[in-house]
Amino acid sequence: MKETEKVEIVYFDQEGYLEDGKELYEIGKQTKQFADDVCDEGFDHLFLLGVGGTWDEFLRMQYVMNKYADADHQVTLLHAAEFNVMGSKSMTSNSVVLTSSESGTTPEVLQAVKTLKQMGVRVYAMTKADGPIGQAVGANHCVAMKNDHGSGGCEKGYYLADCFGLRILNRQGFFPKYDEFIEQSKGFWPALLDIRKQFEPEAEEFAKKYALAPYTMFIGSGALWGETILFAMCLLEEMQWKHTRYISSADFFHGTLELVEPGIPVVLFKGEDECRALDDRVDAFLKSGRTGDTDVTVIDTKEYAIPGLDSDFRMILSTYIISVLTTDRMSRHYELVTKHNLNYRRYYHQFDY
């Protein structure tokens, strides 16, 4: 599909998205500088800190960084709520933490950040500098997340995180093509816009067929596992009040396969890393005819091109692509079918609990 082709994308600001892409290239220089500061000062361990959706989003960063790094430079993902009650025995005053909060008010993250600061840990955040978390971290250690369901999914936040994480890997000697990745990123946003145009009819068809289903199963693995959880839990359960079951391809054959039967919508996300072999096994089972279930959908990031992208970066960009397809496009078409605004909440942020 040509970049100039005009295709309507519901609830999406195409021009704004491309402008955000240009702005992200500059903002990414800030997170790169954070990484350089960390490496210049030295650190003993990098932790990622999230809760709910941000924990899901950081799963892909942990996967990517640990794939490239050696055994002595592995990254640890902490759940903020668990950290607040359990702490971390491997955390020291020489550790570094990257956290994230779109609202800037996430209470579990705020509590954790305050504890970390008291410990003397260096904390960096993708959040609003003037929010409670930003104020606790310090404005000089913050960048805005740039996630906006009016013009994108999570991929813009992923890019800023990658400018930080991949730069650290680069400084450690594990990701020598950092500069090439950043230069090629100028072409990410037009390509991801074209992918939206390509997928839009499929997103509409899927939602019309399954958005009102009482129960849907989602399967993923590897770098896409975090997005699998995110879409099922945060987008469909929280924002659409839909009943879902998310299961990894690795665990599918150890219980959940017995729940597949005629009439149950099953969605498999296939990625482009080592765990694709696990996805292939699930794919073969679902298409074998043994279950009698014909409501099977396979979404394969490999089918979506990003022109000019080095093949070494496909695994990283597969997470951007799945966010475009699901967190952005599929959720918007669910909203149209269910007539349930994605911003509606019964309990979440409605009162103290």
Side-chain angles (χ1 to χ4, degrees), residues 9-10 12 17 149 151-156 158 188-200 203 224 227 230-231 269 299 301 304 306 317-333:
I9 306 176
V10 297
F12 188 78
Y17 183 74
H149 289 295
S151 62
C154 300
E155 72 274 13
K156 291 185 285 188
Y158 290 168
F188 292 175
W189 318 109
L192 292 170
L193 177 57
D194 283 345
I195 287 172
R196 283 176 166 85
K197 295 174 183 178
Q198 178 183 345
F199 187 68
E200 191 71 357
L224 303 190
E227 273 284 342
L230 181 75
F231 182 64
F269 300 143
I299 297 178
T301 63
Y304 299 90
I306 297 183
L317 267 292
S318 68
T319 63
Y320 294 39
I321 293 170
I322 202 67
S323 182
V324 163
L325 303 181
T326 61
T327 303
D328 183 18
R329 301 325 309 147
M330 285 174 65
S331 68
R332 284 304 187 178
H333 283 281

Side-chain angles (χ1 to χ4, degrees), residues 216-232:
T216 306
M217 188 182 300
F218 294 92
I219 309 166
S221 71
L224 303 190
W225 176 230
E227 273 284 342
T228 307
I229 304 172
L230 181 75
F231 182 64

